[in-house]
Amino acid sequence: MLQIYNSLTRKKEPFTPIDPKNVRMYVCGMTVYDYCHIGHARVLVVFDVVNRYLREKFGQNSVTYIRNITDIDDKIIQRATENNESIESLTERFINEMNVDADKLGITRPDQEPKATLHMQDIIDMISILIDKGYAYQASNGDVYFEVKKFEGYGKLSGRNLDEDQAGARVEVEIAKKDAADFVLWKMAKDGEPAWDSPWGPGRPGWHIECSAMATKCLGNHFDIHGGGMDLKFPHHENEIAQSEASTGECFANVWMHNGHVMVDEEKMSKSLGNFFTVREVLKQYQPEVVRYFILTSHYRSPLNYTKNNLDNAKSALDRFYTALRDLHDTSAEHDYNYKESFNAALDDDFNTAEALAVLFEITRELNSLKANNNLEKAAHLGEVLRELGGMLGLLQDDAEQFLKGSGSGSDGLNDDAINQLIENRITAKKEKNWGEADRIREELSAQGIVLEDGAGGTSWRRG
RNA sequence: GGCUGGGUGGCAGAGUGGUGAUGCAGCGGCCUGCAAAGCCGUCAACAGCGGUUCGAUUCCGCUCCUAGCCUCCA
């Protein structure tokens, strides 16, 4: 039985889909004005695993996964102006770049990736309903606001009490608002800003409303899971709940999932702090699965420290798996599924990927034992199991030999031919029992990051 | 100030009211020309102080430290 920690109730709950034939999940995606950083990679990977596992549990075609794209907001306008580039060109460019990164990381594409600019009518419709129902008002400056006090359940997600919040503690309060907590639904366009027609005048949607409109449009008023980064819990998700439930009169999402942040030097990695590493930057040094593994080593709700040491550890761990998977022959026989049970039990427990990985290591140990005892048939079977379970996490899908011989995307230093030549020379030296020369060659390669392994079947190598 | 979370062995990181996480690193052994890889064995931890309990790292309280949110943010 799958259990998921629900941010709304602050406890783990058994997950029961509204419709097991169509489990519906919405995740807040990217605002597209820059490259994705490792924090974004974490959301992508975490919910990719959730998506994969839900399909494993409920059926490959019984899940609808929506991840939106915010392609209009203040930051985008600002960046486009700075670049002297049109908003369309900017956002299209970074949507493409996002997909490049996501594909490299082995992220399964969501079923739909709705964009705010293509859902203006849905957004306007929802705002109209909110005004009609008395939850929203147009202020003297023309902006339309959601009146927070009218929505009874406000604060239920983030656990905050409006009276205790220090409104305006860190940001100036817009004076046109009735209450400091009210938030904008429709923002009037200033000169030169992009604008869409609306009953309240030309303008653009506030940030929160697009997700409410697109989620209900794509998944219905009431769906199963809503996810996103921890930083979106308040105000973004709190506001989404208010808007959606006020307008539809129905429960919005049953389960709220929030992933923890990626940290750098004890601080959250974020664009505004400027302490971020882009996905492509990291992928120059580490293979995609290394990044994925790194993300999955800690529980999705915990903070994750971005350090060289942790990435290197991830690489070592994958080397261990792929070393075990190397030189296994193909097999089509029935698999041994003893491990699958404990692997699934780990993921059933609020997607405990760290524990699931521990199961993969158990398999690896047994697999290595079998290889050592020359029980190659059974070893091959276990190899299949290892790959299959790893695949649920999007891991162990590379060719073992290629993974071990590859470094980041650009492997500088010696090319394969040069390495093989040196290995040949060393084999000759070894035949002559010229150990000094053999060791010298091994040292030379080692200095280039190449590790040699003399086995029964000859010498193999990998990039360490 | 308010609201969420954390503090586990050298490092990373799960978990549990009373035996084992796991990976890397270390130590001993097997294997090897020597290594590497692998296998076997081994060391080692639960921030502090109280309380509940036959028993607490695990439950409760307090203290200290720390992260996130209360502004755009994944």
Side-chain angles (χ1 to χ4, degrees), chain A residues 218-231:
Chain A
C218 298
L219 296 175
N221 293 346
H222 180 204
F223 55 93
D224 297 289
I225 300 174
H226 191 131
M230 202 77 92
D231 47 3

Side-chain angles (χ1 to χ4, degrees), chain A residues 94-114:
Chain A
F94 282 111
I95 288 169
N96 289 335
E97 301 293 7
M98 172 183 79
N99 286 327
V100 167
D101 290 339
D103 288 349
K104 277 204 180 135
L105 289 171
I107 309 295
T108 307
R109 292 278 178 107
D111 296 285
Q112 287 181 62
E113 295 179 86

Side-chain angles (χ1 to χ4, degrees), chain A residues 414-423 445 450 461 463:
Chain A
L414 293 173
N415 66 33
D416 292 13
D417 288 344
I419 292 166
N420 287 326
Q421 184 55 55
L422 283 167
I423 289 175
L445 285 167
I450 308 297
W461 64 273
R463 286 199 165 86

Side-chain angles (χ1 to χ4, degrees), chain A residues 132-194:
Chain A
D132 290 347
K133 289 191 170 180
Y135 287 107
Y137 61 94
Q138 186 167 27
S140 55
N141 64 358
D143 291 352
V144 179
Y145 290 98
F146 186 91
E147 192 169 354
V148 165
K149 283 205 169 112
K150 293 271 172 72
F151 183 71
E152 205 177 327
Y154 196 81
K156 65 182 172 186
L157 176 65
S158 53
R160 62 195 72 217
N161 177 334
L162 283 178
D163 301 329
E164 287 167 355
D165 270 4
Q166 292 188 335
R170 286 154 73 191
V171 68
E172 270 185 55
V173 176
E174 171 60 59
I175 44 161
K177 289 198 270 192
K178 285 190 190 173
D179 187 287
D182 293 353
F183 56 92
V184 71
L185 298 171
W186 190 260
K187 208 166 179 167
M188 300 306 285
K190 299 196 182 74
D191 280 347
E193 285 182 350

